[in-house]
Amino acid sequence: MSVPSPPPPPPCSSFPFVLACLLIFSLILNTPCILAAKTNNNNARSSRRQLSVDYYAKSCPQLEQLVGSVTSQQFKEAPVSGPATIRLFFHDCFVEGCDGSILIATKPGSKELAEKDALGNKDLRVEGFESIRKAKALVESKCPGVVSCADILAIAARDYVHLAGGPYYQVKKGRWDGKISMASRVPFNLPRANSTIDQIIKIFNAKGLTIEDMVVLSGAHTIGFAHCEHFVSRLYDYRGTKQPDPAIDPRLLRALRMACPHFGGNTDIVAPFDVTTPFLFDHAYYANLEGKLGLLASDQVLFLDPRTKSLVQELGKDKQKFFQAFAVAMEKMGSIGVKRGRKHGEKRKDCSMHL
């Protein structure tokens, strides 16, 4: 499959422009904390055996080209579609497994909200949902009733990683769409922006993912943005100390404080996870952590903890190693909680509605 080369990053690629970035991207972009999913190691290994790269070779051989035509166009028209869709994939896999349950809309009048309406998902960008909706509509027009929303989401996330400059890797397919989507299942399955390293590790381990997987997958924060509310406590009252987090560069602290006052600030203001190359999928995220330039407490802690520090340093020096590890970790994460067959899943024609 031919995928367009990524565009060069816009002129927000050096630290002196951090403040300008923060203000320019107000009301435009956002991608808070993405991570984690629900299963055990045995189930994860079993799911990986069930998936295959050529799953749709006969039933929908043009699948990747169809999805790719949508993702490439979306990336040109709305670059935020990239981090928005990658985040959508993470949040899907981390709750019910990679089954498209994050795409389900809450039924009118229902007392139980769907996943997408959970508090922890309230900042999910509409561009991510739109990417999948458009890709699904195109696929349905060519291969009706064949391809799951869950597989389209996995393919689209990979496409956007590559379009932003990251690795291109083969996506194993064969997921069915899940039948359960409940907001109440979200809170304990997603790390928060201020989660401790122990809390994050515990969530990842519960999904069959290792500490190394966690560090590598956190590298998805090489692109994307977060609202002030997700890091404002670091700037003014870190863990109740009435002081800023000491593990933040003073220049970054000043810039972020100008954009994000302690109280009464513009709730639409966002800041880039990666202050050096915010639009480019590269390994700068890890070098930033070494320089105390991590945006979230849950980012910066990766460099502070001895269990993760050495890997952060290695990945910060070797882009190719990060790319290879990221492709492997995405495949591993993408196999979490996979549904197969009509007993456990369905093939939705409209990703937002059950059959």
Side-chain angles (χ1 to χ4, degrees):
M1 171 179 164
S2 177
V3 182
S5 299
C12 190
S13 55
S14 59
F15 189 83
F17 292 101
V18 169
L19 180 56
C21 287
L22 299 178
L23 300 177
I24 290 171
F25 299 122
S26 164
L27 305 171
I28 300 177
L29 301 169
N30 159 53
T31 317
C33 200
I34 49 180
L35 310 166
K38 182 167 64 181
T39 192
N40 57 43
N41 288 322
N42 290 334
N43 285 345
R45 284 193 291 269
S46 174
S47 295
R48 283 198 290 277
R49 285 196 297 270
Q50 295 173 352
L51 302 177
S52 64
V53 171
D54 59 354
Y55 185 81
Y56 297 105
K58 294 183 179 180
S59 59
C60 192
Q62 69 272 49
L63 171 60
E64 302 241 357
Q65 285 82 0
L66 293 171
V67 176
S69 67
V70 171
T71 52
S72 59
Q73 186 64 29
Q74 282 288 108
F75 191 73
K76 291 175 186 176
E77 295 177 357
V80 70
S81 300
T85 305
I86 296 167
R87 184 183 176 214
L88 204 58
F89 185 49
F90 274 71
H91 280 230
D92 183 40
C93 292
F94 290 32
V95 181
E96 291 293 341
C98 307
D99 64 353
S101 54
I102 189 67
L103 304 170
I104 291 288
T106 300
K107 291 182 179 180
S110 173
K111 294 182 179 179
E112 175 64 49
L113 296 176
E115 277 179 47
K116 67 180 295 185
D117 293 318
L119 185 62
N121 287 329
K122 68 182 178 65
D123 288 329
L124 291 173
R125 297 280 306 195
V126 67
E127 290 86 351
F129 293 99
E130 271 296 286
S131 291
I132 305 308
R133 184 190 67 77
K134 290 180 179 179
K136 177 62 172 175
L138 181 59
V139 171
E140 280 295 311
S141 72
K142 305 295 183 181
C143 312
V146 173
V147 183
S148 68
C149 300
D151 276 342
I152 290 175
L153 178 54
I155 295 167
R158 184 278 315 278
D159 284 357
Y160 282 125
V161 167
H162 187 64
L163 286 165
Y168 183 87
Y169 52 91
Q170 295 292 334
V171 174
K172 292 186 176 180
K173 298 167 280 286
R175 304 165 186 81
W176 285 51
D177 298 321
K179 298 179 179 181
I180 298 172
S181 182
M182 300 169 62
S184 58
R185 299 194 179 189
V186 171
F188 302 106
N189 285 294
L190 291 177
R192 299 172 186 241
N194 61 352
S195 292
T196 66
I197 189 72
D198 287 331
Q199 290 170 333
I200 299 171
I201 290 172
K202 183 177 179 181
I203 288 175
F204 270 71
N205 284 345
K207 319 304 176 185
L209 298 170
T210 66
I211 292 177
E212 291 73 21
D213 294 327
M214 182 265 289
V215 174
V216 170
L217 290 170
S218 294
H221 278 183
T222 184
I223 56 174
F225 295 71
H227 280 113
C228 292
E229 65 180 282
H230 294 283
F231 55 84
V232 70
S233 63
R234 289 191 73 203
L235 311 180
Y236 301 96
D237 186 20
Y238 182 64
R239 303 204 184 284
T241 62
K242 308 295 183 184
Q243 298 294 323
D245 183 354
I248 186 171
D249 182 277
R251 298 168 299 163
L252 179 60
L253 176 63
R254 286 194 297 272
L256 291 174
R257 278 184 161 184
M258 288 181 69
C260 306
H262 197 182
F263 301 108
N266 183 341
T267 57
D268 292 316
I269 292 287
V270 296
F273 285 117
D274 176 352
V275 299
T276 54
T277 55
F279 294 95
L280 187 63
F281 197 103
D282 58 14
H283 62 320
Y285 166 82
Y286 298 103
N288 290 342
L289 298 185
E290 290 194 60
K292 295 186 175 183
L293 298 177
L295 183 63
L296 305 181
S298 55
D299 290 318
Q300 193 58 53
V301 73
L302 299 181
F303 185 71
L304 301 175
D305 193 280
R307 290 169 291 183
T308 52
K309 181 177 181 178
S310 61
L311 183 54
V312 168
Q313 291 173 314
E314 289 176 31
L315 297 176
K317 295 174 183 175
D318 191 338
K319 182 169 76 170
Q320 205 53 43
K321 179 173 183 175
F322 167 53
F323 279 11
Q324 292 171 352
F326 188 80
V328 172
M330 284 291 276
E331 179 188 329
K332 186 174 180 181
M333 187 189 77
S335 70
I336 293 171
V338 169
K339 313 296 188 297
R340 295 297 298 272
R342 299 194 182 282
K343 181 178 180 181
H344 303 288
E346 59 188 10
K347 297 283 184 74
R348 294 197 290 275
K349 293 184 178 180
D350 180 340
C351 295
S352 67
M353 297 174 61
H354 289 295
L355 292 178

